[in-house]
Amino acid sequence: MRRFSGRFRSSLIIGLQGIRARKLRTLLSMVSLFLGVSAVVVVQAGASIAEKALLADLQLTDGIDGTRIVDMPPEPKAADIVISTLKGRTDGVATLGVSAIIGEPGVRPVNEGGSPIDEDWGGGMVCYGDGRCEPDTSNGPEGAAIEVRLTALTGDVRMFRPFTQQSGRWLDFSTMPSMAPRLVLNQEAAKGFDRYRVPAEMRVTGASANLTPQLIGVIDDGDQQPRAYVRLDELTNWLSPANLGNGGAEMRVLLAPETPTEQILTTKLRGAGVETYVSTVESRKHRQKELTLMRLIFFSMAGLVLLIGVAGILNVGLATVGERIEEFALRRAVGTPRMLLAGIVLAETLLTGLLTAAAAIGVCVAGLKAVSMLIGDSEPLLHNVQFPWEAGVAGILAGIVAGILGGFVPALRAAGIPIATVMRA
Amino acid sequence: MTDPLIRLTGITKVLKGQQEPRTILDGVDLTVAAGESVAIVGRSGSGKSTLLSVIGLFDRADSGQYELAGQDISRVPERRAAKLRSSHFGFVFQRFFLLKHLTAAQNVAMALVNGQGWLPRRERRARVLEALDLVGIAHLAKNRPARMSGGEQQRVAIARALVRNPRVLLADEPTGALDTETGALVIDALLAATTRGCGLILVTHDRDHAARMGRILDLDAGVLTERVPA
Ligand SMILES: Nc1ncnc2c1ncn2[C@@H]1O[C@H](COP(=O)(O)OP(=O)(O)OP(=O)(O)O)[C@@H](O)[C@H]1O
Ligand SMILES: [Mg+2]
């Protein structure tokens, strides 16, 4: 222990003396390595941010990884079974999608077919035998109405699809169902409401009457199409499950992974002769190949830049050892073990590498913050991003690897200097 | 009778270069006792520095036996050799070999900061000042080599050699770069160490300096012979 600490302190003093005597060289090593480490940090940060953004988007639209999805045709008996089975359970939510038109009665919606507001899916064209097409006016003239996918929920779906609230409130499932259904819009639907002065009247295929919904909030659900969310029990006041079959309805149950409810539900549904399709959300796995390839390409590029940096540090390191031949021979002459000298040379480069890594990470953190502040508002991907810790780790590792690669050969050289050099000089 | 400090028996050193092997040291016998001073003289190229580097464990002999204070160290491994260099030997060369980025005191302390044992800073400083004082330049402790004369620099080098209280001082033409008067001062400093029981082996071309040693040995083409006092 005593011997070890003596060696350690000796090398600390010798190393610091060496660095202090060669500040400029140390700086030059750092400059040559800086770009390499920065490249690694930037690539890792970029990959992590892109991956997170991609997965976050998929989480919104498809669901959190591991979520079990049971799809089934919207038959009335299926709806009954689903609603009764899920009643009082918190590990599953049923979603029922129907199309609805909100706005002036008796007009064609501005986005017929439920297209994004700025796109026209060209719904409602009538084509004749001679190839001539013209807008179908049988549904009346185009007016202040918007077609949305209306998704009715039996519970809070955000445990599977983590919507982010943009304004107003989310649906409250704990209160008594209201006769005027409360709607939460997604951003695309909200855009339509903003642009066209749409009266709050809603037509749903199969409903007994037109509804007067209350709009209570806007969320981001990652969807490009206009959508609205409503409590199923508020919708069924107006739309009986028996009328679900029409209007392109779709029914789906989202379940937590490994819950017995799944077994109960599918058994009941199959017993009633309803076909079910069960799947698991595996966004990460599906994207893994692309993500890995993307990383591989960028890392090879960063590795190349890092290699150039290592060559630089190696070059400076060898020149330094060449310059210090006399010093090392002398230190060996006064009894410094050769391994200690090799260790000191390695430690000096390693320290340079780590300092460079720290500088590169610092610059990248500051750069990301600046970019996020400057253009984060127009680039949602860069809005309010955090510096990913993986990038910091990658930078430190790059610094260590470069320090070892760049310091190893000079260290060997230093250890091999014969002491007699001093006498012949 | 106690063992001599150094006993070399039949030491040979053969240089294997690109050409045919050349014998630099050819069966050298040498005994040095504690407190004894020995001068080695000889033509340039006769192998004096080579002999010193074998004695100082910079290099190993090809054959022969080397005993240091009774211990056979002819074949010590490098780790042990480093330790012995630190504990038993002090070196002074023709060139001073001071590190120019360090002060005189730091240059002397270099022999203490060598990974062989550890002295706290306070004790290190005391030892360094003591060594500088022995050679009469304690007042220059904070100076860098560039601001010292050749004689002063060589005395810093001697202080560095003395700071660990070595058993043997090896000096290879330590006055070669100095004028006569300064050279005499340096020899004084080296001889002073022998009064404290340190052995001294001095390689020199200077007859006067050689004459101040207890014995004079001639090295000629790798063969060492004792000069019989006239
Ligand atoms: N590394 C080496 N490579 C080639 N030859 C060497 C080497 N080291 C020593 N020699 C040769 O060994 C011989 C002895 O050298 P050494 O330095 O011991 O002589 P010296 O007596 O100290 O000479 P001087 O008085 O000039 O210092 C010389 O002929 C020298 O050329
Ligand atoms: Mg010589």
Side-chain angles (χ1 to χ4, degrees):
Chain A
M1 192 59 216
R2 262 183 72 98
R3 207 173 86 181
F4 172 78
S5 97
R7 294 208 160 180
F8 181 72
R9 291 181 206 206
S10 295
S11 41
L12 206 65
I13 290 183
I14 297 173
L16 286 180
Q17 280 174 349
I19 289 180
R20 208 182 304 158
R22 273 167 291 275
K23 290 189 200 90
L24 184 64
R25 265 176 195 276
T26 309
L27 195 71
L28 286 179
S29 299
M30 288 182 71
V31 168
S32 78
L33 194 55
F34 182 81
L35 283 181
V37 177
S38 304
V40 172
V41 173
V42 166
V43 163
Q44 176 66 48
S48 295
I49 291 172
E51 185 179 321
K52 272 206 192 102
L54 191 68
L55 288 178
D57 241 26
L58 288 173
Q59 258 182 5
L60 279 184
T61 51
D62 298 355
I64 290 171
D65 262 14
T67 302
R68 300 280 288 167
I69 293 179
V70 184
D71 281 309
M72 68 207 77
E75 299 165 27
K77 56 182 172 183
D80 284 340
I81 291 171
V82 165
I83 291 168
S84 63
T85 309
L86 290 181
K87 191 162 232 136
R89 289 186 199 263
T90 54
D91 51 2
V93 172
T95 71
L96 173 69
V98 294
S99 70
I101 296 170
I102 305 176
E104 281 182 60
V107 296
R108 223 154 32 88
V110 291
N111 63 331
E112 197 164 22
S115 70
I117 303 299
D118 292 324
E119 287 169 36
D120 191 354
W121 284 356
M125 296 292 271
V126 184
C127 291
Y128 303 99
D130 55 5
R132 207 161 39 85
C133 290
E134 59 185 34
D136 175 10
T137 49
S138 60
N139 286 336
E142 195 172 288
I146 293 168
E147 182 169 347
V148 298
R149 275 314 272 180
L150 181 64
T151 306
L153 307 166
T154 61
D156 192 349
V157 79
R158 291 178 305 177
M159 60 192 274
F160 304 111
R161 296 178 59 190
F163 298 155
T164 46
Q165 196 75 36
Q166 304 295 319
S167 63
R169 286 171 292 128
W170 173 240
L171 300 172
D172 184 354
F173 292 86
S174 62
T175 54
M176 287 290 293
S178 154
M179 288 306 282
R182 285 166 289 195
L183 289 194
V184 172
L185 305 176
N186 74 352
Q187 284 172 305
E188 191 63 21
K191 193 159 106 187
F193 272 81
D194 261 3
R195 196 168 306 168
Y196 308 97
R197 304 182 150 272
V198 179
E201 175 148 339
M202 182 159 76
R203 281 172 277 158
V204 181
T205 322
S208 53
N210 281 0
L211 293 65
T212 312
Q214 330 168 35
L215 304 178
I216 62 167
V218 178
I219 46 96
D220 179 12
D221 64 354
D223 207 312
Q224 306 298 316
Q225 271 182 272
R227 279 183 181 274
Y229 295 86
V230 64
R231 273 173 64 168
L232 181 67
D233 48 8
E234 290 181 2
L235 187 65
T236 45
N237 281 333
W238 305 91
L239 177 71
S240 91
N243 287 335
L244 281 177
N246 33 27
E250 37 183 40
M251 210 157 98
R252 148 177 292 200
V253 178
L254 302 174
L255 290 161
E258 288 172 34
T259 162
T261 312
E262 179 182 336
Q263 177 75 28
I264 299 167
L265 185 68
T266 47
T267 312
K268 279 192 191 168
L269 286 170
R270 276 192 204 119
V274 179
E275 271 185 276
T276 58
Y277 313 91
V278 184
S279 60
T280 308
V281 178
E282 286 174 321
S283 309
R284 191 179 289 272
K285 200 171 129 197
H286 286 308
R287 293 292 170 138
Q288 206 64 54
K289 242 188 184 154
E290 301 165 44
L291 292 173
T292 314
L293 189 67
M294 181 175 83
R295 261 170 200 249
L296 206 67
I297 291 171
F298 281 111
F299 267 106
S300 351
M301 275 159 36
L304 211 64
V305 183
L306 185 64
L307 210 61
I308 296 170
V310 170
I313 208 174
L314 187 61
N315 186 18
V316 175
L318 284 177
T320 306
V321 168
E323 227 171 54
R324 295 173 83 182
I325 284 180
E326 267 185 14
E327 179 193 336
F328 288 143
L330 187 68
R331 289 199 186 273
R332 285 195 62 202
V334 298
T336 315
R338 63 206 299 173
M339 289 321 287
L340 195 68
L341 288 177
I344 289 165
V345 171
L346 194 60
E348 278 179 19
T349 20
L350 210 55
L351 194 67
T352 312
L354 282 175
L355 285 177
T356 310
I361 292 168
V363 166
C364 289
V365 169
L368 184 66
K369 201 162 248 169
V371 166
S372 157
M373 253 157 54
L374 286 178
I375 61 169
D377 289 335
S378 53
E379 262 317 308
L381 189 67
L382 290 172
H383 181 69
N384 217 350
V385 279
Q386 293 297 311
F387 184 75
W389 62 269
E390 298 100 318
V393 172
I396 300 274
L397 281 181
I400 291 176
V401 166
I404 289 177
L405 285 181
F408 193 69
V409 179
L412 279 188
R413 284 262 173 102
I417 293 169
I419 310 176
T421 315
V422 182
M423 313 193 75
R424 310 266 169 232
Chain B
M1 186 194 132
T2 55
D3 289 309
L5 198 51
I6 285 174
R7 192 208 311 265
L8 303 182
T9 334
I11 290 291
T12 56
K13 179 76 189 169
V14 180
L15 206 82
K16 300 167 197 83
Q18 293 97 322
Q19 302 113 356
E20 58 198 75
R22 249 178 70 211
T23 306
I24 310 292
L25 297 177
D26 193 358
V28 169
D29 298 333
L30 171 66
T31 308
V32 179
E36 195 183 8
S37 59
V38 175
I40 295 178
V41 296
R43 287 206 332 273
S44 183
S46 56
K48 304 182 297 292
S49 298
T50 308
L51 178 57
L52 276 198
S53 71
V54 168
I55 297 173
L57 293 173
F58 290 4
D59 211 344
R60 245 41 73 80
D62 292 302
S63 67
Q65 202 187 23
Y66 181 1
E67 282 170 69
L68 181 67
Q71 271 185 42
D72 187 351
I73 56 161
S74 318
R75 297 261 168 277
V76 284
E78 171 55 28
R79 277 168 66 94
R80 189 84 212 288
K83 208 170 177 142
L84 287 171
R85 285 198 295 273
S86 170
S87 59
H88 280 65
F89 295 100
F91 309 91
V92 185
F93 310 100
Q94 175 173 352
R95 282 180 52 203
F96 320 127
F97 290 113
L98 302 181
L99 299 183
K100 58 181 190 298
H101 59 275
L102 301 182
T103 64
Q106 284 173 321
N107 265 290
V108 174
M110 190 179 123
L112 296 174
V113 181
N114 64 355
Q116 310 281 9
W118 181 250
L119 291 176
R121 176 194 281 269
R122 182 191 297 264
E123 203 171 326
R124 230 161 51 220
R125 187 178 307 167
R127 289 254 217 136
V128 165
L129 284 178
E130 190 188 357
L132 283 171
D133 199 37
L134 277 179
V135 294
I137 50 165
H139 59 287
L140 299 177
K142 289 209 162 65
N143 286 28
R144 279 175 211 279
R147 295 182 46 198
M148 286 187 271
S149 75
E152 287 163 350
Q153 289 187 52
Q154 188 61 304
R155 281 184 282 170
V156 173
I158 295 174
R160 178 177 64 198
L162 292 175
V163 74
R164 269 193 186 263
N165 294 324
R167 311 282 296 273
V168 188
L169 264 181
L170 302 174
D172 194 354
E173 294 178 40
T175 60
L178 305 173
D179 65 74
T180 324
E181 222 167 302
T182 319
L185 283 177
V186 164
I187 299 297
D188 289 344
L190 291 173
L191 276 175
T194 62
T195 62
R196 297 188 297 274
C198 182
L200 169 65
I201 300 177
L202 172 75
V203 168
T204 183
H205 288 295
D206 189 305
R207 289 159 196 280
D208 297 336
H209 295 160
R212 295 179 64 188
M213 301 298 124
R215 283 191 292 153
I216 302 178
L217 302 169
D218 263 312
L219 189 60
D220 186 13
V223 180
L224 191 68
T225 47
E226 179 115 24
R227 186 179 289 182
V228 186

